[in-house]
Amino acid sequence: MGLRNFGPIWRLKKTFGQVLGIIAVTVALATLPSIAEANSKYAGIVVDAKTGKVLYSNSANEPRFPASTTKIMTLYVLFEELEAGRLSLNSKMKVSRYAAGRPPTKLGLKVGSSLLVKDAIYGLVTKSANDASTVIAEHISGSEQAFARRMTRTARAIGMRNTTFKNPHGLPNSKQVTTAADLALLGRAVQERFPKYYEFFNTRSYTFHGRRMGNHNNLLGRVQGVDGIKTGYINASGFNIVTNVKRDKRHIVAVVLGGRTARTRDAQMVKLINQYLPKASRGSRTAPMLYAGVKDYKFPKVAPAIPVAKATTQQADEPTLMAYANANGATPNSKPNDPIARMLEQQAAVPAPRKELVANSLAAPEASAPAASPAPSAAPVERQIASLKPEDINTSGWHIQISATDSQDKAIKLLKNARAAAASTLRNKRIYTEPVKSKKQTLYRARFIGFETKTAAWDACAELKKAKYSCYAVYQ
């Protein structure tokens, strides 16, 4: 019997074999996430960025090594410096011998050369450059160790209770630990605080000194709605990724830690996106950066203040309250016993002074340049306010903070510009500055106060973010 006579049977077997092969591949792909979750290093979380609800959690609060997801916080601190005006995207940072000697991945920087801030950002986002991370740390804080302490303080300030940083790049250190929940909080915070700079994380490739650097995030450009933010890997951690997804008016932040390979990590992330993004809210934002639903994690009950450059969560030994009140912006929401509000209502025609008014019986207002024809009643108002004690001024309630700078004048200017950008929401809100002291520096929080409810504060933040201002609501 010839082979031709066996043709139909052979073709049937071949077809059956192909079907079995397809089934086997499908089953293998379906079980990849299950294998990922069975890994002892695995941890994952999916958070609805609009409501703060945790949609999925697996070992989300167990300690893990962050690897290069560390660089999200490195960039967060760098963005603080940009926002405060101490650096610009074109600022030059010197490359030390130590920085140049960091192990790969790296840009291959030469000792004594300079690195532009914008090139450093692109280097971290795409190449995950360790040498550039150290350049940033040394330029801002003088050393990796000092910078890591600032990173940890900043982590605490935004609610990352279980994270400790020891270096700016994520190279192996047994004491540098985080959790999936903390990284989700950071992934959400960096875009809430720095919407303009967050766009760097969506860079798919960048050319530096003639060399093209592709982003290590394989999901960018391949999974609809993914716009960042960072991957990471060391032997101790496995393959990590923090991802932000916006699609169909829904918004989630998801974290997968401890993948055995980049492929299984990415497969697990795609599964989580497909499974939990449809469960996210399509409405407007309804919650601050507070999570609910993870039973074994103690999230803060009150939204923390925005972390600021070189600031700590410690208060000054003798804090001085400084408030700048715009005479045309006295809030109708001010409490009846607020003396500043009463005085401003009584003398609404008084033009606002150039400098903030210091509410401290021991400190007089800073002298301003002589005006051509000052309003007769301005001085008495300043004297009355200057004679007030800090405890006499009612600043309790909901605030929104847009920045923290090293200058009171800068803080006031930012607030005035922000008010102009969101006049319908902020027209009747007082602007307020408060100093935060560290050992080496005093920074000034720039805030609007006088919001009766958290909803009113969040709505104001939403308007400011439309105008490209960072904003955060805090109860005080």
Side-chain angles (χ1 to χ4, degrees), residues 326 328-332 400 414-431 448 451 456 459-467 469:
N326 188 323
N328 296 320
T331 171
I400 59 174
L414 282 169
L415 289 164
K416 287 183 175 180
N417 290 340
R419 172 179 280 167
S424 61
T425 304
L426 300 174
R427 183 180 296 111
N428 295 322
K429 296 295 179 283
R430 283 169 46 195
I431 59 180
F448 290 94
F451 298 93
D459 288 346
C461 274
E463 289 301 312
L464 283 169
K465 287 173 184 176
K466 290 178 183 178
Y469 281 89

Side-chain angles (χ1 to χ4, degrees), residues 358-376:
V358 182
N360 189 312
S361 59
L362 300 179
E366 183 174 346
S368 58
S373 55

Side-chain angles (χ1 to χ4, degrees), residues 302-318:
V302 177
I306 303 176
V308 295
K310 300 231 183 231
T312 69
T313 55
Q314 297 177 344
Q315 296 294 324
D317 293 336
E318 296 181 1

Side-chain angles (χ1 to χ4, degrees), residues 101-115:
R102 294 297 80 205
T105 57
K106 58 196 295 185
L107 296 180
L109 302 173
K110 295 182 178 180
V111 179
S113 64
S114 295
L115 179 66

Side-chain angles (χ1 to χ4, degrees), residues 66-72 105 128 130 169-170 230-234 240:
S68 283
T69 61
T70 294
K71 296 182 175 79
I72 303 173
T105 57
S128 197
N130 296 325
H169 32 62
K230 192 73 187 73
T231 63
Y233 171 79
I234 57 174
N240 299 340

Side-chain angles (χ1 to χ4, degrees), residues 34-50:
S34 299
I35 294 172
E37 293 182 4
N39 178 10
S40 62
K41 294 180 181 179
Y42 176 78
I45 191 170
V46 180
V47 178
D48 185 332
K50 289 185 177 181

Side-chain angles (χ1 to χ4, degrees), residues 378-397:
V381 173
E382 291 185 13
R383 284 198 297 271
Q384 291 178 65
I385 295 178
S387 67
L388 294 171
K389 298 179 180 179
E391 58 268 24
D392 292 331
I393 299 179
N394 189 342
T395 60
S396 62

